[in-house]
Amino acid sequence: MTQRNTYPANQYDLLRRALNCNKAQLASHLGVTPITLRRWEQCGGGANATSRVAQLWQKILRNSGTEWLEVS
């Protein structure tokens, strides 16, 4: 469990906070299994992880109501 008012440990922790979800739910949002997410957290993830994280951030930003933000 992440304590309040602490910096996110990594990009996955930041995503979990943004989506207010647990690791299993985040894995589902990313389209992977919880085991794959755990491996990404430990090893960095590679190109596939980077792509999926970027796509999820784009989806979050599109749905956040920030019309002024242009995502290419």
Side-chain angles (χ1 to χ4, degrees):
M1 169 77 52
T2 303
Q3 294 182 5
R4 292 182 183 197
N5 300 323
T6 60
Y7 288 105
N10 53 43
Q11 64 184 346
Y12 307 105
D13 189 24
L14 185 62
L15 272 170
R16 285 191 312 107
R17 291 180 188 199
L19 294 169
N20 194 26
C21 66
N22 62 35
K23 288 186 179 187
Q25 291 167 326
L26 177 58
S28 177
H29 283 294
L30 291 168
V32 298
T33 64
I35 293 170
T36 299
L37 177 58
R38 191 174 314 121
R39 288 179 185 149
W40 287 357
E41 288 177 320
Q42 294 170 351
C43 302
N48 187 31
T50 301
S51 174
R52 288 180 186 249
V53 167
Q55 290 172 1
L56 184 54
W57 273 119
Q58 289 175 356
K59 184 177 178 181
I60 291 168
L61 291 173
R62 280 191 201 111
N63 293 330
S64 69
T66 53
E67 294 82 18
W68 55 271
L69 184 61
E70 188 75 25
V71 179
S72 56

